[in-house]
Amino acid sequence: MSRTSTKLDSKKVNSELFTLTYGALVAQLLKDYENIEDVNKQLERMGYNMGIRLIEDFLARTGSGRCYDFRDTAEKIQTGFKIFLGITPTITNWSAAGDEFSLCFEANPLTEFVELPDHCLNLKYCNVLIGVLRGACEMVQMEIACWFVQDQLKNDNITELRVKFIKRLEDAIPAGED
Amino acid sequence: MRQQITDTKINSHISGEADECLFEYLHAEMVNYALNKSCKNKEGEEELSRLEWMGFSVGYRIIERLTREWNRFKDELDMIKFICTDFWSSLYHKQIDNLRTNHHGVYVLQDNSFRLLNKVGTNSNKQYLQESPRLLAFTCGLLRGSLANLGIISTVNAEISTLPSCKFHVQVQRI
């Protein structure tokens, strides 16, 4: 007797696996640390480690070269979200100097099954993204800072991630050579 | 217009593989974290219960979503078969290669090239054999959690003899 049910969609299951795994990790961190600030920090650190590896996948997959300017960077970050998470955040709110922009998410796969309880209001649930962006950009010699301005988990309409260009990192001289 | 052209090009790049590495990197970070947190016990064995627990909670939740539209399973073996085929292939992109059972609650699931071990080494390479078990703890928990939500209480162990193949031993606890 064969099953009538449809086959499992491997792609969808995979993204759910990622979402749920991330959730389990956050839950574990909340259990391990008393201080929510420490959880935020830890999430960012993990994101950073992921970002410095993820950038290689990104470059290999897109074959993109160096960024001409920060607007170009913004578009590439957007592409990155599309490739890895299947979402396309909108790029808005450019600062006059062109060194700051916002990424707005209407839906965020990371928070698909998530609700924040009251005692976790300081938790930056998606802090891993900040780490990923910082790590990835650092590997292409760009120092950036980013932070959340709005968060759907905290009852905002959208999730807004602000990205700011800090400086271009110069090629370092290998240790022991002057 | 230019934007559109680049967009379609990117679309064609997106294969099933796209977001796969995300899970792998996240998993790697979790392993790192769990190792940092644990202190080695007397026998020098690593304490991987954190990983196992995270796997358990993921397994417990994900199976609920996956089996939502499935017919009721006939029996225990039917559930294990589901785990070996559909469940495994949607999570790890291949089926379990070999399933053995003694028909008394012991199941051995063998995967000849397990996804999380694939890039660690091949047959002749023993370099990372000792460190590899830490990459299986999460999946052990995942199996245990999935079975738990299907109503099977079990213990799950893993064993590696040659990379990248591994065996999961599922021991069902009868009450």
Side-chain angles (χ1 to χ4, degrees), chain A residues 50-66:
Chain A
M50 287 169 74
I52 59 182
R53 304 176 71 185
L54 213 53
I55 185 73
E56 305 212 0
D57 281 277
F58 176 80
L59 294 176
R61 213 164 262 155
T62 58
S64 60
R66 282 181 177 278

Side-chain angles (χ1 to χ4, degrees), chain B residues 77-174:
Chain B
L77 187 63
D78 204 25
M79 293 178 195
I80 302 272
K81 276 186 190 157
F82 169 77
I83 298 277
C84 291
T85 53
D86 294 81
F87 180 75
W88 209 258
S89 59
S90 55
L91 294 185
Y92 295 120
H93 304 300
K94 67 186 286 293
Q95 300 192 352
I96 286 284
D97 293 299
N98 190 338
L99 168 66
R100 273 181 297 170
T101 173
N102 65 356
H103 296 287
H104 292 287
V106 178
Y107 299 88
V108 181
L109 286 64
Q110 182 175 344
D111 190 333
N112 291 334
S113 87
F114 183 53
R115 174 170 145 197
L116 296 172
L117 296 176
N118 251 340
K119 286 160 192 140
V120 179
T122 47
N123 282 339
S124 51
N125 194 341
K126 292 204 168 15
Q127 190 179 3
Y128 297 111
L129 201 56
Q130 209 169 358
E131 288 85 357
S132 300
R134 57 175 75 148
L135 297 174
L136 299 179
F138 179 82
T139 306
C140 286
L142 196 74
L143 279 171
R144 195 167 67 86
S146 312
L147 291 172
N149 204 352
L150 292 173
I152 302 178
I153 307 301
S154 59
T155 50
V156 180
N157 295 313
E159 155 195 346
I160 309 177
S161 43
T162 49
L163 291 169
S165 91
C166 62
K167 285 179 189 162
F168 295 94
H169 295 264
V170 178
Q171 169 112 44
V172 177
Q173 282 168 11
R174 313 252 184 233

Side-chain angles (χ1 to χ4, degrees), chain A residues 99-114:
Chain A
D99 64 343
E100 254 185 80
F101 66 90
S102 289
L103 291 165
C104 293
F105 303 85
E106 304 221 330
N108 183 350
L110 276 183
T111 60
E112 207 179 338
F113 313 113
V114 182

